Amino acid sequence: MKLCLATNNTHKIEELQSLLGEKFQLQTLNEIGCFDDIPETSDTFDGNSLQKAMYIWERFQLNCLADDSGLEVDALDGEPGVFSARYAGTPVAGEHGNHENNMQKLLKNLEGIENRSAQFRCVITLITNGIAHHFEGIIRGKIIHQKQGSKGFGYDPLFIPDGYDRTFAEMNIEEKNPISHRGLAVAKMIEFLKQA
Ligand code: IMP
């Protein structure tokens, strides 16, 4: 089954393709002839992933999926949330957020705050034959006081998942994938696709 993934982020495409296996062939936006900057204007993860997937379905009538994810910090009322990529300001063209500046802003906003609980959340919207299905993955953890590790991306060096003593940035992709918010959402989607 062919599925278009509403992103040109090659990191995401490779990660998802390896999780989905050979039964599903992911197509990129460029491969289907879409060169648009797909709007992402909702204030929820569900809304953004639906908006991106719907954009493809309405123009191309292709089975497709889109995801939206971010970090939600309890003591900051869920911030940075949908603004995770652009927490410290709008990224320059071609960049998906300035991870270093975002982490520094987060540490600053958490200065003096004891409750460091947080979660990563991912919502995937899959559209098959015009019908949208949502799959959510959440990983709880805490934000540490200074960066640890150099793997991964985004807020990984500051996030230790519950039950672990290392950050996501200190884990290999093989270790992070099965427990991550994205991995959990993908697992739910695969289960659904197997039964479809
Ligand atoms: P998006 O879903 O690609 O739009 O990601 C939004 C932003 O959330 C990223 O740019 C990161 O700042 C953050 N984020 C999402 N998933 C992760 C993750 O697995 N590790 C670290 N940061 C993440």
Side-chain angles (χ1 to χ4, degrees):
M1 181 185 197
K2 281 188 180 172
L3 285 171
C4 174
L5 180 60
T7 184
N8 278 319
N9 180 334
T10 44
H11 176 80
K12 262 191 196 172
I13 294 168
E14 281 167 20
E15 192 177 300
L16 260 183
Q17 184 65 70
S18 79
L19 285 162
L20 281 170
E22 286 170 10
K23 228 173 129 193
F24 302 95
Q25 295 90 41
L26 284 184
Q27 293 175 294
T28 64
L29 288 173
N30 291 356
E31 276 166 0
I32 65 161
C34 177
F35 300 94
D36 306 349
D37 199 7
I38 301 178
E40 201 176 328
T41 53
S42 171
D43 57 5
T44 64
F45 295 120
D46 295 55
N48 276 333
S49 65
L50 178 64
Q51 188 179 21
K52 289 187 275 186
M54 236 352 143
Y55 188 94
I56 301 302
W57 174 260
E58 281 172 353
R59 283 157 187 79
F60 298 89
Q61 271 78 52
L62 290 172
N63 292 336
C64 57
L65 65 128
D67 79 334
D68 199 36
S69 60
L71 177 70
E72 298 176 313
V73 179
D74 294 2
L76 301 177
D77 293 328
E79 265 187 33
V82 290
F83 301 107
S84 292
R86 46 202 150 118
Y87 194 36
T90 313
V92 296
E95 247 187 42
H96 193 70
N98 185 317
H99 299 320
E100 186 55 43
N101 290 354
N102 288 340
M103 284 191 286
Q104 292 313 323
K105 178 168 179 183
L106 178 65
L107 287 177
K108 187 135 198 34
N109 287 348
L110 279 174
E111 261 170 26
I113 295 177
E114 254 178 56
N115 177 8
R116 316 282 293 193
S117 300
Q119 64 186 25
F120 275 119
R121 192 144 70 93
C122 173
V123 176
I124 294 178
T125 299
L126 169 75
I127 300 185
T128 49
N129 306 318
I131 298 167
H133 310 271
H134 295 281
F135 306 92
E136 184 181 69
I138 289 176
I139 171 91
R140 297 277 310 163
K142 65 167 189 262
I143 304 298
I144 55 172
H145 292 266
Q146 43 184 308
K147 295 186 290 171
Q148 275 176 216
S150 55
K151 300 188 183 88
F153 72 104
Y155 300 87
D156 278 348
L158 292 178
F159 184 83
I160 297 188
D162 284 348
Y164 292 78
D165 57 8
R166 286 169 300 135
T167 66
F168 265 168
E170 294 174 290
M171 296 182 184
N172 295 323
I173 192 79
E174 293 79 16
E175 211 177 344
K176 178 185 168 186
N177 260 351
I179 60 168
S180 82
H181 48 311
R182 214 172 348 272
L184 297 172
V186 169
K188 286 184 190 170
M189 182 182 74
I190 291 174
E191 218 26 63
F192 170 84
L193 282 167
K194 275 187 191 156
Q195 283 159 25

